[in-house]
Amino acid sequence: MSLSRRNGTLQAAKVITIVADVMAVILGLWILMYLLDANRANDLVSFIQDVARWLAGWSYDLFTFDEAWARVVSGYGLAAVVYLFVGHAVAGRLRR
């Protein structure tokens, strides 16, 4: 593999890792805001909630716990873990 192509692959792996990490941070931030009962009328809180809901659209309300906080932690937390795992796995494969 040429040096130029190798550098491009390493850059792509780095971008994938950063994107996966940012997605997981947003989801984790929303979980924290929810648990701390952040003011949803606040623009930042509303923005984080909207982005987190979009990112976790596939896992939101996947579990049917009686407590709302447990649904939020499990649904959004699962999405964060999956994004981290998949993003870092793909980046690791690119680095080989």
Side-chain angles (χ1 to χ4, degrees):
M1 183 182 292
S2 72
L3 183 58
S4 154
R5 186 170 179 191
R6 179 76 179 150
N7 285 339
T9 302
L10 291 175
Q11 287 289 71
K14 189 174 191 175
V15 168
I16 289 169
T17 301
I18 290 169
V19 168
D21 290 348
V22 168
M23 291 165 54
V25 165
I26 290 170
L27 290 163
L29 188 56
W30 170 242
I31 292 170
L32 184 63
M33 287 178 169
Y34 182 87
L35 293 175
L36 295 175
D37 200 25
N39 178 7
R40 294 186 192 173
N42 179 282
D43 289 340
L44 176 63
V45 175
S46 179
F47 173 76
I48 295 295
Q49 180 184 15
D50 292 343
V51 173
R53 184 169 293 223
W54 183 80
L55 289 172
W58 60 272
S59 66
Y60 180 74
D61 279 345
L62 184 64
F63 302 101
T64 56
F65 295 110
D66 290 336
E67 298 293 328
W69 68 267
R71 287 192 303 273
V72 168
V73 171
S74 61
Y76 290 98
L78 174 65
V81 169
V82 168
Y83 288 134
L84 281 175
F85 178 77
V86 171
H88 286 260
V90 169
R93 294 288 282 167
L94 286 175
R95 287 186 185 110
R96 289 184 186 183

